[in-house]
Amino acid sequence: GLRHTSLFAAVFEEGLTQHLNAKQLQGVQEFAAYINRLQYRAPREPAAQLLEDLLGAIRYEAWLFEHCDTREAESKWSNVRDFVGWLGRKGEEDGKNLLELTQTIALLSMLDKEDPDFDGVQMATLHASKGLEFPHVFLVGVEEGLLPHQSSIDEDKVEEERRLMYVGITRAQRSLNLTWCERRKSGKEFRSCEPSRFIAEMGGDIKMNDRKTAQPVSKEEGKARLANLMAMFENRDGKA
């Protein structure tokens, strides 16, 4: 029957021994353990060092020279070295680890493929948006417990969250909008929310819109609203 689990998670299940022999099982588990170590190191170590270790572990340079002619292998390996060097410098300049750099690259690739006349919404994490700018920016969920995150509050690491807030507000070229919830659902109950302390710290002339308390809606009404929204997008696409 269906296991409802990922292939990676299945590697660590005891039942796997019934499907693989000892040698196969050892190879699969060693690979999974290596991926776990990379995942642990990724947010903690410089991007260049992590990539250097990965390239060495998979013997990519040797593979190139074994499967390509010398000139092609040298060209490809040179490109890899240039890319690793660029990632290392970019990580140091922007203070980003490998995970954050890959998010930024993915976002840049997405933006690069977009039609220059595209008029729509781009969504990104605060980490991925470093180094980018947009005409109008909406920061959603700027409230205590989210920004700053509750774990940072508990561990007295709010300063790092404050720098992240700075990254977000400085992405805006023309307008910046901050939003937060009065109430947020947690499990089966609703809890009250407070605006982030960072909003008050911004000072200046901040325009506050009148807040209207939104009452929870039924599941049926929620589905109806979603259907109407999807219909609006379909009509817009049909007219394009």
Side-chain angles (χ1 to χ4, degrees):
L2 296 177
R3 297 287 296 164
H4 298 292
T5 187
S6 68
L7 288 173
F8 188 78
V11 171
F12 301 97
E13 293 188 355
E14 295 182 359
L16 192 62
T17 57
Q18 301 176 8
H19 304 280
L20 299 177
N21 60 43
K23 185 176 181 180
Q24 292 172 330
L25 183 63
Q26 180 182 0
V28 169
Q29 290 182 337
E30 286 179 354
F31 173 76
Y34 181 71
I35 296 300
N36 270 337
R37 290 195 296 273
L38 286 180
Q39 186 177 24
Y40 176 82
R41 294 173 58 191
R44 296 171 174 82
E45 299 182 18
Q49 181 60 55
L50 202 65
L51 287 174
E52 292 285 1
D53 292 349
L54 176 60
L55 290 171
I58 65 176
R59 300 181 65 252
Y60 186 61
E61 181 181 11
W63 184 91
L64 284 176
F65 282 90
E66 289 173 5
H67 294 81
C68 305
D69 62 63
T70 302
R71 185 173 181 178
E72 182 182 5
E74 289 176 346
S75 176
K76 289 184 176 181
W77 183 243
S78 177
N79 290 337
V80 170
R81 300 304 312 162
D82 289 343
F83 181 63
V84 172
W86 177 82
L87 278 178
R89 293 189 298 273
K90 185 69 174 173
E92 291 179 0
E93 293 170 0
D94 296 350
K96 292 184 178 182
N97 58 46
L98 184 58
L99 295 179
E100 295 164 347
L101 285 171
T102 54
Q103 291 176 347
T104 300
I105 292 172
L107 180 60
L108 288 172
S109 299
M110 179 185 70
L111 294 175
D112 187 55
K113 294 178 181 178
E114 292 287 0
D115 186 332
D117 297 324
F118 173 74
D119 182 19
V121 177
Q122 303 285 356
M123 299 181 66
T125 65
L126 289 173
H127 287 292
S129 67
K130 290 181 180 178
L132 304 176
E133 289 185 328
F134 304 91
H136 307 283
V137 170
F138 284 78
L139 296 186
V140 181
V142 187
E143 57 200 57
E144 291 293 301
L146 292 181
L147 188 64
H149 194 271
Q150 189 60 48
S151 61
S152 297
I153 297 175
D154 296 339
E155 298 172 9
D156 195 24
K157 296 181 179 179
V158 175
E159 188 59 33
E160 178 60 30
E161 297 286 285
R162 184 174 285 109
R163 286 193 287 268
L164 201 57
M165 175 71 171
Y166 177 79
V167 169
I169 64 178
T170 53
R171 299 311 92 198
Q173 296 173 318
R174 295 171 55 187
S175 70
L176 171 68
N177 296 270
L178 310 177
T179 72
W180 63 89
C181 293
E182 287 187 334
R183 297 193 304 165
R184 186 176 291 276
K185 191 172 184 180
S186 179
K188 296 183 179 180
E189 299 180 351
F190 284 86
R191 60 177 177 81
S192 299
C193 301
E194 297 181 8
S196 171
R197 67 191 72 184
F198 300 148
I199 296 177
E201 293 175 1
M202 291 172 64
D205 184 16
I206 301 177
K207 181 180 179 181
M208 303 287 286
N209 291 330
D210 293 334
R211 296 185 298 174
K212 297 181 180 179
T213 302
Q215 297 297 327
V217 300
S218 66
K219 183 179 294 185
E220 291 72 19
E221 185 177 353
K223 289 182 178 180
R225 292 184 181 183
L226 179 59
N228 289 335
L229 183 61
M230 293 177 66
M232 290 173 58
F233 282 118
E234 289 175 358
N235 291 336
R236 177 180 175 181
D237 292 340
K239 294 177 181 179

